[in-house]
Amino acid sequence: MTDHDTLDAQLESFHRIQMPMAARSQVDRRVGRALAEQANGARASRPWSRLRRPTILAVGLLVALGSLTAVGAPTQVFRLELGSLDKDQRTAAEINAEIEMTKAVTPVAPDYVYPDLRVPEFNEDGSGNIYGVGNGLTMVEANARCGWYAYWLAAVARDDLATMTRAQAMIETFPTWASIADPRMATQSVRDHEASLIAAVQARDPNPIRADQVNNCGG
Amino acid sequence: MTTQITTAAGTDVGVDIDGDDALARRAATDLRAFSPLYTRHVDRVYRYLRSRGQAPEDAADLTAVAFERAIVGIRRYESRGAGFAAWILRIARNAAIDAERRRRPTVAIDDLPDGHHPASTQSPETTALAAEERRELAGRLARLRPLERDAIALRYAGGLTSAQIGAVIGKSESATKKLLTRSLATLREETR
């Protein structure tokens, strides 16, 4: 091996730096949020006059109620803490775009496959649906979290300590995920619930996780 | 049992200028096309920022900043023959320079901890030798001039060609080749 080859190999090896998983997860979320905000910003200029009348009526009703309900993982329901504003409302097409972008940057457990998360534009009776900003992100992240908890549970069943540890490292980042940390997307009770699940994982207690899989993850 | 933690992100697929350019053009009107660009280049950007001496948290923060700026500016993307990798690394470099103006780097390149390199499967003796070699190489890199060190980081951490490095640092391809040759010669000279 020549001097050139040796130095080249040394430099290659020296610069082979890995991003820690938790850091990668944070960068993924920031970029995912920036993508969603930029996409939503580009669509925000769409005139309200294009909206169908049933949609406008639905918006008015929801604003009057003072809260928007976002569909989370199967049977999981989130309410926005401070209600919604007109500028927070999104169409089904915008939410479906947000879903795809969030999926692309959300870390998922090995072999995890998302269910079909697309939201419909119209109800069965033909009335228009309206959604809130971040609903797509919330759905994707909630389902991804379910996948990580299922992955941890499977490792517990196999007594696979290495996999449990890896899953726990990711699960401990959940409080920083936008759908948990951002008060527009999660109430304190949602945050408390997540904290209790993380505490169960840290205590190696699978029972609360099993219950959550049944109650909130469709499993 | 080794289980790879996977994300929606793929692995580094290299520069792939043609594929990147097509995606970047599409992303200007449909941001969904940006996601694969992000997954292809995020590790490259982080590696480069760490090689500039940024602390791990700062490197992660600046990686996010670089992509946030890229998302806003993707409509203005022009390959100019250098491709998306050079474009995103130029944004990252500018973000790092801005940050370094505000504060000195908190970690010097020769302080890069071993824990941020892939785990070794070699014997303890071989690992210790490799660690010593790395410290010694870090010392030599630290003694290079900043532009020389930057070119080396763009080459080895960023995986760029001379022409792409030139596009990032604002020099011609031939001037960049000379810069790299001189930098490598200096590094080699110091081993003797």
Side-chain angles (χ1 to χ4, degrees), chain A residues 30-39, chain B residues 27-28 31 34 38 64-76 84 87-88 91:
Chain A
R30 274 181 62 177
V31 174
R33 204 155 43 219
L35 276 170
E37 285 171 1
Q38 185 72 8
Chain B
L31 274 173
F34 191 89
Y38 166 72
V65 167
F67 280 98
E68 284 163 353
R69 290 183 185 177
I71 288 164
V72 173
I74 191 67
R75 286 166 196 266
R76 296 191 300 276
F84 185 84
W87 188 70
I88 189 67
I91 295 174

Side-chain angles (χ1 to χ4, degrees), chain B residues 95-116:
Chain B
I97 290 169
D98 288 346
E100 287 157 11
R101 278 196 197 114
R102 291 193 294 273
R103 51 163 174 65
R104 294 172 66 83
T106 50
V107 178
I109 193 167
D110 50 342
D111 291 335
L112 284 180
D114 292 345
H116 286 277

Side-chain angles (χ1 to χ4, degrees), chain A residues 3-4 7-8 10-21 23-24 27-28 30-31 34-35 38-39 42 97 100-101 103-111 148 151 158 160 162-163 166-167 170, chain B residues 1 3-9 31-32 34-35 38-39 42-43 46-47 50-51 60-61 63-65 67-68 71-72 109 112 116-118 133-134 137-138 140-141 152-153 156-157 184 187-188 192:
Chain A
D3 277 2
H4 178 273
L7 179 61
D8 207 49
Q10 283 178 339
L11 287 167
E12 291 277 0
S13 168
F14 182 84
H15 288 91
R16 210 175 293 138
I17 302 162
Q18 289 180 332
M19 190 182 328
M21 199 166 67
R24 173 60 191 270
V27 176
D28 284 352
R30 274 181 62 177
V31 174
L35 276 170
Q38 185 72 8
E100 291 310 312
M101 284 184 282
K103 277 162 77 172
V105 295
T106 299
V108 293
D111 302 325
W148 279 108
Y151 181 62
R158 293 195 307 274
D160 177 352
T163 303
R166 273 193 292 273
M170 176 58 71
Chain B
M1 180 181 130
T3 306
Q4 184 70 36
I5 302 268
T6 55
T7 68
L31 274 173
R32 279 173 295 188
F34 191 89
S35 292
Y38 166 72
T39 54
V42 60
D43 289 332
Y46 178 82
R47 274 199 306 269
R50 284 287 282 131
S51 298
D61 179 54
T63 301
V65 167
F67 280 98
E68 284 163 353
I71 288 164
V72 173
I109 193 167
L112 284 180
H116 286 277
H117 291 84
E133 271 181 11
R134 212 157 34 228
L137 177 59
R140 282 187 278 152
L141 282 166
I152 294 284
Y156 288 93
L184 290 169
L187 288 173
R188 208 170 290 119
R192 298 203 172 109

Side-chain angles (χ1 to χ4, degrees), chain A residues 51-113:
Chain A
L51 290 178
R52 291 163 58 98
R53 195 174 170 199
T55 304
I56 295 168
L57 290 173
V59 170
L61 179 62
L62 286 165
V63 171
L65 287 172
S67 69
L68 265 182
T69 301
V71 182
T75 75
Q76 195 165 13
V77 173
F78 297 99
R79 282 180 189 282
L80 303 184
E81 213 158 55
L82 303 174
S84 66
L85 299 172
D86 283 356
K87 68 181 176 59
D88 294 330
Q89 289 152 4
R90 297 289 178 265
T91 63
E94 288 165 341
I95 292 301
N96 285 328
E98 184 181 291
I99 285 168
E100 291 310 312
M101 284 184 282
T102 309
K103 277 162 77 172
V105 295
T106 299
V108 293
D111 302 325
Y112 178 75
V113 178

